Amino acid sequence: MAGREEQLRAQWELAHANRIFRVATHLVTVVEQVAAAGFDDSRFAAESLLEAQRSHALWQTCLASAYLP
């Protein structure tokens, strides 16, 4: 049983690391797109800011749960 737990833990850690990477990549992409487009379009800027805030919050949640068993 302990061997199975270790195997599952390793799989969970890999999946979690992958999730953190994907969320961080998305956050960087959003910021890059906003920087490239500038803030000429206020609606785009506002929506982009909200998306960046949501992505950052998700990234923080991922990091906080990284050390849970």
Side-chain angles (χ1 to χ4, degrees), residues 44-65:
F44 174 76
E47 289 175 7
S48 297
L49 180 58
L50 287 174
E51 180 60 25
Q53 290 170 332
R54 285 190 295 263
S55 296
H56 183 259
L58 179 58
W59 182 66
Q60 291 292 329
T61 301
C62 289
L63 291 178
S65 66

Side-chain angles (χ1 to χ4, degrees), residues 9 12 65-69:
R9 179 180 296 271
W12 182 86
S65 66
Y67 301 106
L68 296 177

Side-chain angles (χ1 to χ4, degrees), residues 10-63:
Q11 290 175 350
W12 182 86
E13 289 173 356
L14 180 60
H16 190 72
N18 186 28
R19 180 178 181 213
I20 290 173
F21 176 78
R22 287 192 325 260
V23 170
T25 300
H26 177 69
L27 178 56
V28 169
T29 300
V30 168
V31 172
E32 288 175 343
Q33 288 174 344
V34 171
F39 289 97
D40 294 335
D41 183 346
S42 61
R43 182 174 175 212
F44 174 76
E47 289 175 7
S48 297
L49 180 58
L50 287 174
E51 180 60 25
Q53 290 170 332
R54 285 190 295 263
S55 296
H56 183 259
L58 179 58
W59 182 66
Q60 291 292 329
T61 301
C62 289
L63 291 178

